Amino acid sequence: MRYISTRGGMPPKTFTEILLSGLAPDGGLAVPESYPRVSPADMEAWRHLDYQALAFQILSRFMEDIPADDLHRIIARTYTTEAFGSPDITPVRTLEPGLHILCLSNGPTLAFKDIAMQLLGNLFEYTLAKTNDELNILGATSGDTGSSAEYAMRGKRGIRVFMLSPLGKMSRFQTAQMFSLLDDNIFNIAIRGVFDDCQDIVKAVSNDRDFKQQYQIGTVNSINWARIAAQIVYYFKGYFAVTQSNDQQVSFSVPSGNFGNIFAGHVARMMGLPIKHLILATNENDVLDEFFRTGLYRPRTTAETHHTSSPSMDISKASNFERFIFDLTERDATRVRELWRSVDKGNAFDLFGTALWIKAKDFGFVSGASNHASRIETIRNLYQEYKVLVDTHTADGVKVGLEHREPGIPLICMETALPAKFAETIQEAVGIEPSRPAGFENLESLPQRFEIMDKDANAVKTFLVQKIKHH
Ligand SMILES: *Cc1c(COP(=O)(O)O)cnc(C)c1O
């Protein structure tokens, strides 16, 4: 299997060739030349596999240039009971017949991003070792992505992480989670500014091509294909857990921001997994809900982007969405290029009334949005009815999922973070403190290490050079 760009300007490449790169050279996103199809015999055999064996079956189809033995080892090292809390890795919790939560948040940082990021850490280390290369990951975070990346890359040979965050703007829990990492390949840089200032610095450094090349600067953002591939696995795992036979359909409800998680569900469906609906749930930042309701895709400005009680979904545009439009246009790179010529300038496109919009119905997407009040109400209802506590992101998915629930079709709601990360909102909803998993009790009192810097790209570059040369 080889990879092409959604904008048609990249000669086909192997998986390891696209693993470490961000955008394709033409500005598009890497996608497989075609999706592998899963046969009825595969489905029959896969139903009985444990997480690691299932992951191998799925990932090996996307990572053909990694030798099978090596991929087995990488998967075994990644998906351990120790790292994810149970041998199931993504266990299902059944609230009542036909209503389930797929628990994706028992990894090291208590959010679903760990499932993909932990694999990415091991894949990066493996491929860098083969070529004797180094990688310096530069990123900006306002919460989950940064800590998930750091926990995946800590202690990895050939990799350093430089993570910018807005000084004093993250929750105490999130700050402690990142800043208490004392590994010598992890560098936390707290910027005197807001998240957008951090992102601007990352952009400025990445746009300096010579610097980027000389110091082997890379990223780990949500457009990385390996992250999508890793997320496909739990759609299959969740399906097998709640069905008895492979002719049954299920629907998934997915709290969405950058369209990475639900896009993995789309790929699973294209591979042949019997998914009836992919229920896309947004918070007040409803760019994607608006598209799936009306056909209008309108990226927001920073000023129009709300800070919500589900902060990991506070996005102004959805970076993986271009991949879906590529499939919707039957992989017409010219059309994608035209549409994104306008998106890249911050403009909208509207498919309403076109043949594409009619065709969009065939992909199983439906959508809805939550607001703070409806998330609080959902958290409270689930607690009262089932004695189950969910976080604000998961609540968003459950709220919208229930609106689209159909008789006879099991509904699987993705749990994308644990309530312990958002204790304040849980207090507001149900008046109790969510319990913390073992090992997190004293997080905020652990020693912390971080640099404080002004919002100055040159100062950050100087810091990077100094650390890269001396570590
Ligand atoms: C990242 C994140 C999301 C959104 O996932 P996307 O793949 O960006 O759509 C939802 N919930 C939580 C807790 C997250 O960290």
Side-chain angles (χ1 to χ4, degrees):
M1 153 149 348
R2 292 191 303 170
Y3 289 83
I4 54 174
S5 164
T6 50
R7 300 195 191 174
M10 178 175 86
K13 290 190 170 180
T14 65
F15 171 74
T16 43
E17 283 170 336
I18 60 149
L19 173 63
L20 297 173
S21 49
L23 289 176
D26 61 355
L29 306 185
V31 287
E33 274 180 319
S34 65
Y35 295 124
R37 289 288 301 181
V38 174
S39 70
D42 290 333
M43 285 293 284
E44 216 33 65
W46 291 8
R47 176 169 282 280
H48 309 288
L49 299 180
D50 64 15
Y51 195 93
Q52 295 80 357
L54 183 62
F56 178 80
Q57 288 302 324
I58 293 167
L59 296 177
S60 59
R61 282 166 168 73
F62 291 98
M63 307 177 180
E64 278 180 354
D65 59 334
I66 298 186
D69 284 350
D70 293 351
L71 187 58
H72 270 300
R73 264 196 296 275
I74 290 168
I75 290 171
R77 195 165 349 121
T78 303
Y79 297 112
T80 62
T81 303
E82 200 191 5
F84 288 94
S86 75
D88 280 344
I89 308 299
T90 60
V92 163
R93 176 187 279 164
T94 296
L95 301 183
E96 63 179 46
L99 180 60
H100 313 273
I101 291 189
L102 185 58
C103 304
L104 305 176
S105 310
N106 297 311
T109 72
L110 314 184
F112 92 100
K113 291 194 173 67
D114 289 332
I115 294 182
M117 207 72 91
Q118 289 283 315
L119 180 75
L120 204 63
N122 286 322
L123 284 170
F124 276 14
E125 186 177 49
Y126 167 82
T127 46
L128 289 167
K130 282 206 149 174
T131 50
N132 214 1
D133 271 330
E134 289 193 354
L135 179 67
N136 295 299
I137 294 166
L138 176 65
T141 189
S142 56
D144 285 339
T145 312
S147 54
S148 169
E150 290 187 354
Y151 279 77
M153 306 298 166
R154 63 188 297 197
K156 295 270 184 286
R157 261 164 305 152
I159 303 176
R160 296 180 197 84
V161 179
F162 298 89
M163 194 56 68
L164 312 184
S165 59
L167 176 64
K169 300 285 195 307
M170 293 189 297
S171 75
R172 257 168 61 77
F173 185 96
Q174 287 176 317
T175 308
Q177 221 177 10
M178 284 180 46
F179 292 3
S180 65
L181 282 184
L182 304 178
D183 306 72
D184 27 293
N185 70 329
I186 304 292
F187 301 94
N188 284 302
I189 305 173
I191 297 289
R192 293 192 186 90
V194 293
F195 173 63
D196 282 327
D197 296 321
C198 301
Q199 235 174 356
D200 288 344
I201 295 173
V202 173
K203 267 188 219 146
V205 176
S206 302
N207 287 341
D208 181 344
R209 293 201 170 205
D210 293 339
F211 184 87
K212 197 177 164 193
Q213 206 167 357
Q214 183 178 358
Y215 294 104
Q216 293 160 298
I217 307 291
T219 54
V220 285
N221 43 30
S222 76
I223 58 163
N224 187 292
W225 180 264
R227 286 180 64 182
I228 303 287
Q231 292 168 179
I232 297 169
V233 178
Y234 55 68
Y235 281 87
F236 280 87
K237 191 81 180 119
Y239 172 81
F240 292 131
V242 309
T243 57
Q244 281 76 50
S245 72
N246 299 330
D247 52 9
Q248 286 176 276
Q249 283 193 310
V250 304
S251 291
F252 287 94
S253 174
V254 190
S256 295
N258 273 319
F259 204 73
N261 193 353
I262 202 164
F263 184 77
H266 162 75
V267 178
R269 193 170 176 277
M270 299 295 273
M271 291 169 72
L273 189 68
I275 297 175
K276 174 120 195 249
H277 284 129
L278 288 162
I279 303 166
L280 180 142
T282 70
N283 63 19
E284 292 87 334
N285 297 293
D286 59 353
V287 189
L288 289 168
D289 175 40
E290 181 171 65
F291 173 79
F292 284 103
R293 278 186 299 104
T294 70
L296 175 69
Y297 182 64
R298 186 175 67 86
R300 311 294 200 251
T301 61
T302 307
E304 289 173 300
T305 308
H306 307 271
H307 290 280
T308 74
S309 53
S310 45
S312 301
M313 296 157 58
D314 294 347
I315 49 97
S316 54
K317 57 179 191 300
S319 23
N320 279 290
F321 187 58
E322 182 173 339
R323 288 185 164 123
F324 171 67
I325 296 296
F326 186 60
D327 285 345
L328 178 61
T329 59
E330 289 175 1
R331 315 202 120 205
D332 181 348
T334 309
R335 189 75 199 274
V336 171
R337 221 164 36 233
E338 274 162 21
L339 292 171
W340 257 264
R341 196 170 301 144
S342 124
V343 170
D344 285 340
K345 287 193 209 117
N347 296 324
F349 64 75
D350 192 352
L351 300 185
F352 186 76
T354 66
L356 280 185
W357 180 237
I358 295 163
K359 204 165 157 289
K361 307 284 175 223
D362 298 341
F363 289 85
F365 284 91
V366 293
S367 73
S370 71
N371 57 29
H372 181 69
S374 61
R375 287 189 294 274
I376 293 281
E377 190 187 326
T378 305
I379 294 171
R380 196 176 291 146
N381 287 348
L382 288 180
Y383 187 63
Q384 282 167 357
E385 221 164 302
Y386 307 104
K387 288 276 159 280
V388 164
L389 261 186
V390 298
D391 90 293
T392 48
H393 305 78
T394 308
D396 164 82
V398 172
K399 185 253 176 195
V400 175
L402 289 175
E403 288 166 358
H404 290 279
R405 192 176 178 191
E406 297 160 275
I409 308 287
L411 173 64
I412 302 177
C413 301
M414 301 299 203
E415 178 195 58
T416 57
L418 288 195
K421 290 191 94 162
F422 303 94
E424 259 176 41
T425 320
I426 301 298
Q427 270 284 1
E428 181 186 341
V430 294
I432 60 161
E433 191 75 13
S435 64
R436 287 190 179 188
F440 286 87
E441 298 86 352
N442 304 315
L443 184 67
E444 290 90 336
S445 53
L446 297 175
Q448 301 189 355
R449 182 165 66 85
F450 59 98
E451 304 287 325
I452 299 177
M453 297 181 72
D454 287 330
K455 46 180 178 190
D456 173 357
N458 283 323
V460 171
K461 276 185 184 171
T462 307
F463 179 80
L464 257 60
V465 172
Q466 191 192 341
K467 296 299 173 191
I468 292 169
K469 286 202 170 140
H470 298 291
H471 279 263

mmCIF file of all heavy atoms in Angstrom, residues 111-113 144 231 255-262 312-313 391 393 416-417, ligand 1:
data_model
loop_
_atom_site.group_PDB
_atom_site.id
_atom_site.type_symbol
_atom_site.label_atom_id
_atom_site.label_comp_id
_atom_site.label_asym_id
_atom_site.label_seq_id
_atom_site.Cartn_x
_atom_site.Cartn_y
_atom_site.Cartn_z
ATOM 1 N N ALA A 111 -6.617 10.478 28.296
ATOM 2 C CA ALA A 111 -7.418 10.935 27.155
ATOM 3 C C ALA A 111 -7.168 10.000 25.970
ATOM 4 O O ALA A 111 -6.131 9.338 25.898
ATOM 5 C CB ALA A 111 -7.076 12.373 26.785
ATOM 6 N N PHE A 112 -8.130 9.960 25.037
ATOM 7 C CA PHE A 112 -8.055 8.964 23.959
ATOM 8 C C PHE A 112 -6.846 9.146 23.047
ATOM 9 O O PHE A 112 -6.434 8.211 22.362
ATOM 10 C CB PHE A 112 -9.354 8.993 23.135
ATOM 11 C CG PHE A 112 -9.310 9.912 21.949
ATOM 12 C CD1 PHE A 112 -9.082 9.422 20.676
ATOM 13 C CD2 PHE A 112 -9.479 11.277 22.091
ATOM 14 C CE1 PHE A 112 -9.030 10.257 19.561
ATOM 15 C CE2 PHE A 112 -9.423 12.129 20.996
ATOM 16 C CZ PHE A 112 -9.201 11.616 19.732
ATOM 17 N N LYS A 113 -6.260 10.361 23.037
ATOM 18 C CA LYS A 113 -5.124 10.591 22.139
ATOM 19 C C LYS A 113 -3.958 9.657 22.431
ATOM 20 O O LYS A 113 -3.143 9.384 21.551
ATOM 21 C CB LYS A 113 -4.690 12.044 22.214
ATOM 22 C CG LYS A 113 -5.726 12.993 21.608
ATOM 23 C CD LYS A 113 -5.185 14.379 21.357
ATOM 24 C CE LYS A 113 -6.194 15.218 20.590
ATOM 25 N NZ LYS A 113 -7.413 15.513 21.366
ATOM 26 N N ASP A 144 -4.552 18.669 25.951
ATOM 27 C CA ASP A 144 -4.350 17.225 25.790
ATOM 28 C C ASP A 144 -3.229 16.804 24.845
ATOM 29 O O ASP A 144 -2.496 15.872 25.131
ATOM 30 C CB ASP A 144 -5.640 16.573 25.286
ATOM 31 C CG ASP A 144 -6.675 16.457 26.388
ATOM 32 O OD1 ASP A 144 -6.275 16.504 27.570
ATOM 33 O OD2 ASP A 144 -7.864 16.324 26.062
ATOM 34 N N GLN A 231 -6.283 4.554 15.326
ATOM 35 C CA GLN A 231 -7.645 4.754 15.856
ATOM 36 C C GLN A 231 -8.685 3.860 15.172
ATOM 37 O O GLN A 231 -9.761 3.640 15.705
ATOM 38 C CB GLN A 231 -8.025 6.239 15.736
ATOM 39 C CG GLN A 231 -7.197 7.108 16.677
ATOM 40 C CD GLN A 231 -7.290 8.602 16.441
ATOM 41 O OE1 GLN A 231 -6.678 9.358 17.166
ATOM 42 N NE2 GLN A 231 -8.010 9.034 15.428
ATOM 43 N N PRO A 255 -17.258 12.625 19.939
ATOM 44 C CA PRO A 255 -16.982 14.037 20.236
ATOM 45 C C PRO A 255 -15.858 14.514 19.331
ATOM 46 O O PRO A 255 -14.769 13.943 19.371
ATOM 47 C CB PRO A 255 -16.516 14.026 21.703
ATOM 48 C CG PRO A 255 -16.842 12.669 22.236
ATOM 49 C CD PRO A 255 -16.916 11.738 21.070
ATOM 50 N N SER A 256 -16.108 15.543 18.517
ATOM 51 C CA SER A 256 -15.164 15.844 17.443
ATOM 52 C C SER A 256 -14.618 17.259 17.467
ATOM 53 O O SER A 256 -15.303 18.203 17.839
ATOM 54 C CB SER A 256 -15.837 15.593 16.086
ATOM 55 O OG SER A 256 -16.129 14.211 15.950
ATOM 56 N N GLY A 257 -13.360 17.367 17.047
ATOM 57 C CA GLY A 257 -12.697 18.665 16.916
ATOM 58 C C GLY A 257 -12.009 18.723 15.572
ATOM 59 O O GLY A 257 -12.531 19.249 14.595
ATOM 60 N N ASN A 258 -10.833 18.128 15.484
ATOM 61 C CA ASN A 258 -10.071 18.136 14.241
ATOM 62 C C ASN A 258 -10.452 17.026 13.264
ATOM 63 O O ASN A 258 -9.769 16.795 12.275
ATOM 64 C CB ASN A 258 -8.573 18.085 14.544
ATOM 65 C CG ASN A 258 -8.025 19.484 14.746
ATOM 66 O OD1 ASN A 258 -8.393 20.407 14.024
ATOM 67 N ND2 ASN A 258 -7.165 19.640 15.731
ATOM 68 N N PHE A 259 -11.527 16.272 13.574
ATOM 69 C CA PHE A 259 -12.054 15.267 12.656
ATOM 70 C C PHE A 259 -11.128 14.061 12.518
ATOM 71 O O PHE A 259 -11.227 13.290 11.568
ATOM 72 C CB PHE A 259 -12.309 15.902 11.271
ATOM 73 C CG PHE A 259 -13.348 15.197 10.424
ATOM 74 C CD1 PHE A 259 -14.690 15.279 10.730
ATOM 75 C CD2 PHE A 259 -12.970 14.461 9.307
ATOM 76 C CE1 PHE A 259 -15.638 14.635 9.937
ATOM 77 C CE2 PHE A 259 -13.918 13.817 8.505
ATOM 78 C CZ PHE A 259 -15.241 13.910 8.821
ATOM 79 N N GLY A 260 -10.218 13.865 13.497
ATOM 80 C CA GLY A 260 -9.298 12.735 13.415
ATOM 81 C C GLY A 260 -9.943 11.442 13.882
ATOM 82 O O GLY A 260 -9.890 10.416 13.188
ATOM 83 N N ASN A 261 -10.568 11.479 15.054
ATOM 84 C CA ASN A 261 -11.189 10.284 15.609
ATOM 85 C C ASN A 261 -12.284 9.761 14.676
ATOM 86 O O ASN A 261 -12.259 8.605 14.242
ATOM 87 C CB ASN A 261 -11.751 10.645 16.994
ATOM 88 C CG ASN A 261 -12.140 9.413 17.796
ATOM 89 O OD1 ASN A 261 -12.119 8.290 17.288
ATOM 90 N ND2 ASN A 261 -12.516 9.620 19.048
ATOM 91 N N ILE A 262 -13.217 10.616 14.314
ATOM 92 C CA ILE A 262 -14.354 10.143 13.506
ATOM 93 C C ILE A 262 -13.903 9.787 12.080
ATOM 94 O O ILE A 262 -14.503 8.919 11.442
ATOM 95 C CB ILE A 262 -15.515 11.156 13.500
ATOM 96 C CG1 ILE A 262 -16.823 10.441 13.146
ATOM 97 C CG2 ILE A 262 -15.237 12.335 12.579
ATOM 98 C CD1 ILE A 262 -18.078 11.228 13.472
ATOM 99 N N SER A 312 -10.811 20.597 24.528
ATOM 100 C CA SER A 312 -10.058 19.869 23.495
ATOM 101 C C SER A 312 -10.801 19.828 22.166
ATOM 102 O O SER A 312 -10.300 19.274 21.188
ATOM 103 C CB SER A 312 -9.755 18.446 23.959
ATOM 104 O OG SER A 312 -9.012 18.499 25.156
ATOM 105 N N MET A 313 -12.013 20.363 22.141
ATOM 106 C CA MET A 313 -12.771 20.437 20.892
ATOM 107 C C MET A 313 -12.961 21.875 20.430
ATOM 108 O O MET A 313 -13.784 22.141 19.562
ATOM 109 C CB MET A 313 -14.133 19.768 21.087
ATOM 110 C CG MET A 313 -14.015 18.276 21.377
ATOM 111 S SD MET A 313 -15.434 17.613 22.242
ATOM 112 C CE MET A 313 -16.734 18.016 21.097
ATOM 113 N N ASP A 391 -16.731 12.729 31.457
ATOM 114 C CA ASP A 391 -16.167 14.077 31.364
ATOM 115 C C ASP A 391 -16.995 14.907 30.371
ATOM 116 O O ASP A 391 -17.930 14.394 29.740
ATOM 117 C CB ASP A 391 -14.703 14.001 30.913
ATOM 118 C CG ASP A 391 -14.586 14.050 29.415
ATOM 119 O OD1 ASP A 391 -15.039 13.093 28.777
ATOM 120 O OD2 ASP A 391 -14.088 15.055 28.873
ATOM 121 N N HIS A 393 -16.268 16.177 27.408
ATOM 122 C CA HIS A 393 -16.200 15.810 25.985
ATOM 123 C C HIS A 393 -17.077 14.596 25.706
ATOM 124 O O HIS A 393 -17.841 14.561 24.746
ATOM 125 C CB HIS A 393 -14.756 15.520 25.579
ATOM 126 C CG HIS A 393 -13.821 16.650 25.882
ATOM 127 N ND1 HIS A 393 -13.358 16.886 27.148
ATOM 128 C CD2 HIS A 393 -13.293 17.605 25.094
ATOM 129 C CE1 HIS A 393 -12.570 17.952 27.126
ATOM 130 N NE2 HIS A 393 -12.512 18.409 25.887
ATOM 131 N N THR A 416 -13.729 10.079 25.463
ATOM 132 C CA THR A 416 -12.456 10.611 24.976
ATOM 133 C C THR A 416 -11.565 11.193 26.069
ATOM 134 O O THR A 416 -10.431 11.559 25.804
ATOM 135 C CB THR A 416 -12.665 11.655 23.853
ATOM 136 O OG1 THR A 416 -13.510 12.698 24.347
ATOM 137 C CG2 THR A 416 -13.304 11.019 22.628
ATOM 138 N N ALA A 417 -12.071 11.323 27.291
ATOM 139 C CA ALA A 417 -11.206 11.735 28.415
ATOM 140 C C ALA A 417 -11.863 11.272 29.706
ATOM 141 O O ALA A 417 -13.065 10.986 29.727
ATOM 142 C CB ALA A 417 -10.999 13.247 28.439
HETATM 143 C C1 LIG B 1 -8.668 15.703 20.761
HETATM 144 C C2 LIG B 1 -9.897 15.445 21.550
HETATM 145 C C3 LIG B 1 -11.177 15.371 20.944
HETATM 146 C C4 LIG B 1 -11.393 15.637 19.469
HETATM 147 O O1 LIG B 1 -10.863 14.636 18.658
HETATM 148 P P1 LIG B 1 -10.544 14.928 17.103
HETATM 149 O O2 LIG B 1 -9.824 13.732 16.637
HETATM 150 O O3 LIG B 1 -9.697 16.169 17.080
HETATM 151 O O4 LIG B 1 -11.853 15.146 16.418
HETATM 152 C C5 LIG B 1 -12.269 15.064 21.735
HETATM 153 N N1 LIG B 1 -12.137 14.870 23.062
HETATM 154 C C6 LIG B 1 -10.947 14.928 23.684
HETATM 155 C C7 LIG B 1 -10.876 14.721 25.155
HETATM 156 C C8 LIG B 1 -9.783 15.219 22.956
HETATM 157 O O5 LIG B 1 -8.595 15.293 23.590
#
